[in-house]
Amino acid sequence: MALGMAAAAQADGRQALVGGTLIDGYGGPVVHDSVILVEDDRIVAVGNQDNTAIPDGYEVISTEGMTVMPGLWEMHAHLMLTGHSDYDHWDRVYIDRLEDEIMPASAVQLLLAGVTSARDLGAPLEPSISVRDRINAGELPGPTLYVSGPFIQHQPYPGTEAFRWGVDSVGDARQHVRDLADAGVDVIKFVDQDLLEPDEARAVVEEAHARGLRVVGHSHRPAEILRGLEIGIDNFEHTGLTTAPEYPPEVMAALRDRTARGRVSGGPLFWTPTIEGLWNYTRTRENDEFLDSDCWHRGLRDDTIADIEASIQHPERLEYTQLTPLRAPTLRRKFEQLREAGVVMLLGTDSGIPMKFHCQSTWNEFDVWTRELDVPVMDAIRSSTYWAAVFMGVQDQVGTIAPGMMADIIAVDGDLLTYPSLLQDVDFVMKAGTVYVEDGQVHEERLPAHLRME
C-alpha cells in the first residue's frame, strides 16, 4: 500500500515539534528536550534542542511538558460496528449505511483518539476498500487502514454472508483468497480453521502467502490454535478457550516450538490478545457512566445514536456478556502464558463490539496491559507502534519517529511512562504532517462537515 498518497497535499508544511520527552518507538532511551522537524508528510530530522537547530520557515509547536511518541496502531478494529449490543439487528438495519456513515465515523473517532494506523478485521469488501482508499486520498480523515474485507470460515452465520465467506473445498478456499487479493485487501482474516478439512485450511494460508498477504486467525479453541500453527497462520487473535483456566500443555508446547524457530519459520509469532473488553466488563456493569460520553457520537446520525443508546441501557442483561464474569478471571494466566511462550504481542481491542467505542477502546487496552497485567509501558508502546508496523511490513514507513518516516506523531501532557492512563486524552495528534488535535482541542475545520461536533 502506498502511504500518504494525497495526505501531503493536506499537510501543514514545515513544522518543528520542540521541547517534549520523545519515545521514538525503537525501545531505546527517551530523548529529553526533543526536536522533531516535519516537512509536508515526512519527518526530516530528530534530535534535541542542543544538537538540532530549527531552520527558518518552520512553525514551532511547543511540546514542553509532554510525552511525544509515534501514533498508535489499533490492530483489531471493526469499523462496521459501533458498540451496538444486537448484532442481528445491526447487520440487518445498517448494512447499507456502512460506507457513508458508520465506517467513516469509526475512522475519525479512532484518529482523534491518537490511532494513526488501524487494522480492520472483518467487513463487507466494497465498503472496506472504499473507506480505506478515500482516507488515503485525503477525502476522509482517519487512520491509515489495513483491511481484510470478509472473514474466511467454514460456514457463515445466517445473515452475515456479506462479510463472512464460507469454504467447502480446496478450490473454494483458494478462490476466496484470490478474490480478496485481487480486490486489494491488506491481510486475510481466517476463523474456525479447525472446522475445515486440513487441506482446505492449508490452502487458505498457502494462497495468501503466495499473494504476499499475511493471515490473521482466531484462537478461541485449542484445536483452532493447533491447526493454525500447523498451517502457518501468522497472527492469532483473542485470548480464548472461554472459561478454561489456562492453555493446555499441548498448546503451550506447540507455541514454544513455533516461537523457538523464529526467523527460520517466517519470523516471530504474533498475538493480539484483545483483553480489555472482557477485563473491564464488571467495571462497566457497576459504573457505566463512560457510556454516556458523546465522543462516540461523532459522525453518526441521530437515529443511529439513539438506537445504540437504547441497546446498551442494561449491560448486565446482554446475552453477549453473560459468560464474561467467568472468563475474566482466566485472562491473567492466559496472558502470562502467551508472554512466557515468547509470542510478540500486538495491541488491539475488538473495538466496535458491544459497549466498546472507537474513541475509547485502544487506550483501555493499553491501560489494562500496563496497570493490571504488569507489562512495562515501553513494551506496550512498542506493541502498539513498532511491532504493529513490522507485522504489516511497513516498518520502513511508520511505527517509529526517525528521519524519512511518515509524520504520524501523538503527544500527551505529562509523563506517559509513569502514568500510562494519560492516553485516554491525547493532547496532540498529527497524521502525515496534518495536525488534527492540538492542546487537547480538535481542529474541527479540518474535518468534513458531517464529521464535526460544533
Side-chain angles (χ1 to χ4, degrees), residues 320-452:
Y320 186 87
T321 60
Q322 292 309 302
L323 267 181
T324 300
L326 299 178
R327 294 182 67 187
T330 75
L331 295 174
R332 179 183 294 275
R333 176 59 184 147
K334 292 170 185 171
F335 190 82
E336 290 171 347
Q337 284 181 290
L338 292 174
R339 294 182 71 198
E340 291 166 2
V343 303
V344 176
M345 293 287 199
L346 302 176
L347 195 137
T349 64
D350 232 1
S351 188
I353 64 174
M355 299 179 293
K356 296 290 112 180
F357 302 117
H358 300 292
C359 57
Q360 299 171 335
S361 297
T362 309
W363 88 262
N364 271 295
E365 184 82 5
F366 194 97
D367 178 63
V368 169
W369 282 28
T370 55
R371 185 169 54 83
E372 304 274 14
L373 298 174
D374 304 319
V375 176
V377 176
M378 188 66 82
D379 289 355
I381 289 172
R382 296 255 291 163
S383 291
S384 56
T385 57
Y386 171 78
W387 282 118
V390 168
F391 180 84
M392 292 309 304
V394 292
Q395 68 269 29
D396 61 338
Q397 298 287 311
V398 291
T400 50
I401 294 178
M405 304 295 280
M406 187 70 68
D408 290 356
I409 303 168
I410 66 172
V412 295
D413 191 5
D415 177 4
L416 181 66
L417 291 175
T418 303
Y419 305 105
S421 64
L422 288 172
L423 277 179
Q424 68 185 292
D425 292 305
V426 178
D427 295 281
F428 178 85
V429 178
M430 170 187 283
K431 186 209 168 188
T434 297
V435 178
Y436 289 95
V437 179
E438 192 169 9
D439 296 327
Q441 301 298 310
V442 177
H443 282 292
E444 300 285 353
E445 74 280 1
R446 298 192 173 180
L447 307 178
H450 68 290
L451 297 176
R452 297 175 188 168

Side-chain angles (χ1 to χ4, degrees), residues 45-195:
V46 178
N48 62 40
Q49 289 174 283
D50 292 331
N51 60 28
T52 305
I54 301 170
D56 292 339
Y58 274 74
E59 174 194 0
V60 174
I61 298 174
S62 175
T63 57
E64 289 286 353
M66 306 180 83
T67 302
V68 184
M69 60 177 282
L72 295 169
W73 283 67
E74 166 58 72
M75 288 297 277
H76 193 125
H78 292 285
L79 272 67
M80 69 173 287
L81 303 174
T82 56
H84 198 286
S85 72
D86 186 340
Y87 285 160
D88 291 340
H89 168 83
W90 185 263
D91 294 342
R92 183 177 66 256
V93 173
Y94 293 91
I95 189 71
D96 293 328
R97 292 165 67 164
L98 298 181
E99 186 172 342
D100 294 328
E101 178 193 359
I102 305 302
M103 295 180 77
S106 300
V108 73
Q109 290 174 24
L110 285 166
L111 176 63
L112 299 181
V115 175
T116 57
S117 300
R119 200 170 61 176
D120 185 48
L121 294 180
L125 183 56
E126 291 185 7
S128 298
I129 299 296
S130 171
V131 172
R132 182 198 67 188
D133 290 352
R134 282 187 287 155
I135 290 172
N136 285 347
E139 298 170 13
L140 286 175
T144 300
L145 286 184
Y146 301 85
V147 303
S148 72
F151 301 69
I152 293 179
Q153 64 184 102
H154 173 56
Q155 189 173 4
Y157 315 136
T160 67
E161 293 81 2
F163 53 91
R164 292 177 180 270
W165 291 358
V167 171
D168 59 16
S169 69
V170 170
D172 202 29
R174 293 190 182 278
Q175 190 59 54
H176 284 333
V177 174
R178 292 184 190 119
D179 290 343
L180 292 170
D182 289 344
V185 302
D186 305 289
V187 67
I188 297 296
K189 175 73 175 289
F190 194 13
V191 306
D192 296 343
Q193 55 268 13
D194 57 321
L195 302 182

Side-chain angles (χ1 to χ4, degrees), residues 184-371:
V185 302
D186 305 289
V187 67
I188 297 296
K189 175 73 175 289
F190 194 13
V191 306
D192 296 343
Q193 55 268 13
D194 57 321
L195 302 182
L196 273 66
E197 294 297 325
D199 56 346
E200 294 171 346
R202 190 177 300 279
V204 171
V205 176
E206 288 178 349
E207 193 67 36
H209 287 173
R211 297 296 295 265
L213 297 172
R214 287 190 160 187
V215 180
V216 174
H218 270 184
S219 62
H220 287 307
R221 297 178 296 274
E224 202 171 23
I225 299 171
L226 292 170
R227 174 64 58 76
L229 291 169
E230 176 189 335
I231 63 179
I233 280 177
D234 304 290
N235 175 196
F236 288 95
E237 304 295 296
H238 309 305
T239 311
L241 282 73
T242 186
T243 59
E246 62 181 7
Y247 295 109
E250 62 271 23
V251 168
M252 295 306 299
L255 286 176
R256 292 190 183 99
D257 177 69
R258 170 61 180 84
T259 58
R261 286 182 275 131
R263 290 192 177 276
V264 300
S265 184
L269 177 64
F270 293 86
W271 205 291
T272 315
T274 67
I275 288 278
E276 79 89 10
L278 297 168
W279 189 277
N280 286 329
Y281 167 69
T282 302
R283 293 187 189 133
T284 299
R285 186 181 62 192
E286 294 172 355
N287 181 6
D288 62 1
E289 193 64 33
F290 75 94
L291 300 178
D292 294 336
S293 170
D294 66 356
C295 71
W296 63 266
H297 297 184
R298 184 182 290 272
L300 298 177
R301 301 175 190 172
D302 289 344
D303 63 329
T304 308
I305 294 169
D307 193 4
I308 296 168
E309 287 178 333
S311 82
I312 58 175
Q313 284 300 302
H314 294 282
E316 75 284 357
R317 299 179 187 176
L318 301 183
E319 182 178 355
Y320 186 87
T321 60
Q322 292 309 302
L323 267 181
T324 300
L326 299 178
R327 294 182 67 187
T330 75
L331 295 174
R332 179 183 294 275
R333 176 59 184 147
K334 292 170 185 171
F335 190 82
E336 290 171 347
Q337 284 181 290
L338 292 174
R339 294 182 71 198
E340 291 166 2
V343 303
V344 176
M345 293 287 199
L346 302 176
L347 195 137
T349 64
D350 232 1
S351 188
I353 64 174
M355 299 179 293
K356 296 290 112 180
F357 302 117
H358 300 292
C359 57
Q360 299 171 335
S361 297
T362 309
W363 88 262
N364 271 295
E365 184 82 5
F366 194 97
D367 178 63
V368 169
W369 282 28
T370 55
R371 185 169 54 83

